[in-house]
Amino acid sequence: MSIKEKGYAHWDGKLKKMKFPWKPITRYGIKLTFKKKFFKFSFFLTLIPALIYLAGIYASEKIEDFSFLTRDTDTLSFLKVDPKYFSSYFTNEFLLFMIVLLMVFCGAGLISDDLKYNSLQLYFSRPIKKNDYFMGKAAVIAFFIFIVTLIPGIMFIIMKLIFSGSFRFLASFPWLFFSVIGYSIFITTFFAFYTLFISSINKNRRYVGIFIFGLYYFSEIIFGIFFGIFKSKYFALLSLKINLQQVGAGFFGQKPAYDIPWILSFFIIIMICIFAVIVLKRKIRSVEVVK
Amino acid sequence: MNVENVEVKDLHFNYGKVKALDGVNLKLPGGAIGLLGPNGAGKSTLIKILLGFLTPDKGEGLVLGYDIKKQQSSIRRYVGYMPESDCLIPGMDAVSFTSYLGELSGMPRQEAMKRAHEVLFYVGLEESRYRNLETYSSGMKQRLKLAQAIVHDPKLIFLDEPTSGLDPRGRIEILDLIMDISSKKDIQVLISSHILSDIESVCSYVVILNKGELASQGKISDLKQINYSLYEIKAFENVERFIDGLRNIGCKVEQTTDKLIKVYLPPEKNPQDIISIAVEEKTQIRHFVKSQTSLEDIFAEVVGVD
C-alpha cells in the first residue's frame, strides 16, 4: 500500500529547541550558492592571491635558491614575511575586488529572493526569530569571506612556522595572529551588513548585484572627483575601499596609505553597519503591515 | 484532544485607522474549522495574529496553550502554516525545500529528509520531488505548500485559501488530503477560504467574521437548524409587495435570477405567516418548498446579503 493510500501518518520524533536555529539557513545558503552559474570559477579566482602569497612564504625561506633570478637579493625584499606582507595581502585591490564579486554571486539573492518569492512568511512561521534569520544569512557571507581572509591568514602563519622550522616568527610578532582574526572579522562584518542591506532593498537579484558592485566603486569615483578638486586627503573617507584599506593598515600596525587616522575609517565602517541594521530591521517582516 | 486549541478574548487589531479586528472572542474546538468572511473581514489578520506575525493592539489569546503575545516561538514550533500566496525558495527542489523547513521547525536533519519524502508522496508530488520548484505549476505549488505545512507533524494547521488557483480535480484532491489530515483526532485544521462549498465539504464547525467582528460561530449543522428556516418560493402577481410584506415581518429575502424567492424565516415565525402575507397581497404561490440550508445560505444570512 502506498504512503498516499495509507493516509496521513504521524511523525514519531520529537521537535527540539535548536541551539543555533540559523544553522540550516546557512547550510542551505552555501549549498545554493555553489549551484550558481560561474560561481565556482569566480570563487577559484578569489583564492589566487592566497595561493600566490603562500608561494611567497615558501620562497621567502628559500631566498637563496631564487637568487639566480636576480643580481642582488634586495630585489626580492618584497618576499620578506612580516606584518606588512600580511597587510598587503588583506588590503590588496584584487582581493577586495574579488570579495565584492563574491558578494554579487553569494549575497545578492540572500534576502531579495526571499522578498521576491514571498518566502519570509515561511521562515517566520517557524520558530525562527529575526536575529536567527539575519545570522543565518550573514553566516553564508562569512563562510565565503573567511575562506579568503581568515583561513589564508592563519595558513600563512602556520606555513611560515613550518617552512622556517622555528617559532621565531611568532615570537617576533605575537599579535599578528589576533590581527588576522580581528581584521577578518571586521571585513566580514562590513561585507555581511553591506550586502544584506542592499539585498533587502530590492526584489530583483540582478539589480542588487549591480548595486553591490556599483555603490562600492561609486564611492571610489566620488572620492576621486572631490580629491581632484579640493586636494584634501580627508575625502578618502568617502571611499569604501580606502576605508577598508586604512583599517587594514591599522590592524597590522602599518602606516595607512592616506595620512589620516585609521580609526576614522573604522568608525565610518561601523556607522555604515549600524545604518544597515536599522534598514534591515525595518525591511524584514513576516508580513507587510501598513499602519 | 484539547477541547480548545485556539482561544482568543476581546481581540483588537487596527491597520492605521482601519479596524481589522474589533473585539473578537473565540473558543475553537478540535477537528476541521472553517474561517469564513467576505474580503476585509479580518480572516487573514486573525491567522497572522494567531501565528504571532502580528501583535494585537488589545486582547489576549492562547494557541495550543501558548500565549499569542509572549510565546510565539513555541506556537510556531507546533503549528503548520500554508500561506495564501505562492512562496518558494528558488534553486531548490521539493525534497530540499520541505526538509529545510522541517529542520527550521526543529526536526533533526536526517529525520527531516526522511519525512520530506513521506509528505511529498502523501501530497502526490512523488514524481516531481527532484524538480526545481520554479518549474512547478500552480497546483503543484499548492501541494508543496501543504507538504511544508505538515512536514513537522503539527498539532494545529492554518490553511489560508488552500484551494485557490486549482482546477476542479486538484481542488477535490487537496480537500481530500485536508479531510484525511483533519480526521486524525489530535490534529486541528483551521481553513480560511472564500469557497463556501470547500468549507462545507471539509469542516464541521465554522467561524464567520464580518467587518472585523465575529458574526457567527458554531457547528454547521446547528447553524443550519437554529438560526432560521429557509423556504424557496415561486410567486406570481404583486411579487414586490409580497417581498416587502415578508421583510416587514422580519424575514430576509433573496431573489435569484430565475425568479426564485429565498425566504429566511426567523425562528419565532412560522410558514403560515408567509401564506398569510401572500393572501393579503393577493399573490399566487406556485412553488413552496422548505429548502436544505447550505453554508452559502448561512453566510448570506449572517453577513447580510439581501
Side-chain angles (χ1 to χ4, degrees), chain A residues 69-226:
Chain A
L69 292 172
T70 176
R71 285 182 183 171
D72 57 294
T73 49
D74 286 350
T75 317
L76 296 173
S77 62
F78 70 92
L79 286 175
K80 191 179 172 205
V81 179
D82 56 8
K84 193 179 175 188
Y85 187 84
F86 279 78
S87 177
S88 75
Y89 171 74
F90 278 95
T91 59
N92 84 69
E93 299 224 358
F94 181 73
L95 182 73
L96 290 174
F97 170 81
M98 287 312 294
I99 288 177
V100 176
L101 201 64
L102 208 60
M103 291 304 98
V104 173
F105 276 107
C106 83
L110 279 176
I111 294 179
S112 68
D113 281 348
D114 289 342
L115 294 171
K116 184 178 178 181
Y117 293 96
N118 292 319
S119 38
L120 283 179
Q121 52 188 336
L122 294 176
Y123 285 101
F124 294 119
S125 64
R126 261 68 202 181
I128 295 284
K129 291 181 181 141
K130 252 188 200 182
N131 289 349
D132 300 323
Y133 176 79
F134 289 137
M135 191 64 202
K137 298 289 181 180
V140 176
I141 293 169
F143 172 82
F144 290 109
I145 299 186
F146 278 158
I147 288 180
V148 295
T149 56
L150 182 66
I151 292 174
I154 292 171
M155 284 283 284
F156 294 163
I157 295 173
I158 294 170
M159 287 302 162
K160 177 67 186 168
L161 297 179
I162 291 171
F163 292 144
S164 64
S166 79
F167 284 96
R168 209 172 55 203
F169 176 73
L170 210 54
S172 306
F173 310 107
W175 48 268
L176 193 60
F177 183 73
F178 299 103
S179 295
V180 166
I181 294 173
Y183 188 64
S184 299
I185 291 172
F186 174 78
I187 200 168
T188 303
T189 307
F190 166 70
F191 276 111
F193 281 121
Y194 174 73
T195 308
L196 291 181
F197 153 63
I198 297 176
S199 184
S200 72
I201 56 175
N202 198 290
K203 290 182 180 178
N204 189 319
R205 184 199 299 184
R206 285 196 183 95
Y207 291 147
V208 170
I210 293 166
F211 211 58
I212 288 172
F213 214 84
L215 192 64
Y216 185 82
Y217 283 101
F218 180 70
S219 70
E220 179 82 357
I221 293 165
I222 291 288
F223 154 66
I225 292 169
F226 280 98

Side-chain angles (χ1 to χ4, degrees), chain A residues 225-267:
Chain A
I225 292 169
F226 280 98
F227 187 74
I229 298 168
F230 299 104
K231 307 285 179 206
S232 169
K233 61 194 174 193
Y234 281 94
F235 284 110
L237 296 172
L238 292 174
S239 163
L240 291 174
K241 189 186 82 184
I242 293 172
N243 279 316
L244 291 172
Q245 288 172 329
Q246 292 281 103
V247 176
F251 265 89
F252 290 98
Q254 301 302 303
K255 192 173 177 288
Y258 291 86
D259 191 20
I260 41 178
W262 66 269
I263 203 79
L264 288 178
S265 295
F266 181 83
F267 279 118

Side-chain angles (χ1 to χ4, degrees), chain A residues 121 124-125 286-289, chain B residues 11 13 15 21 35 42-56 63 68-69 72 75-76 81-85 158 160 190 192:
Chain A
Q121 52 188 336
F124 294 119
S125 64
S286 46
V287 281
E288 279 299 320
V289 182
Chain B
L11 215 56
F13 187 84
Y15 291 104
L21 290 178
L35 187 56
K43 305 184 298 288
S44 293
T45 306
L46 178 63
I47 289 182
K48 281 164 187 165
I49 287 176
L50 295 177
L51 271 167
F53 285 176
L54 300 172
T55 308
V63 173
I68 56 169
K69 284 180 176 172
Q72 290 108 331
I75 292 172
R76 291 180 201 152
Y81 175 52
M82 177 181 176
E84 181 183 359
S85 53
F158 294 120
D160 204 350
L190 184 66
S192 160

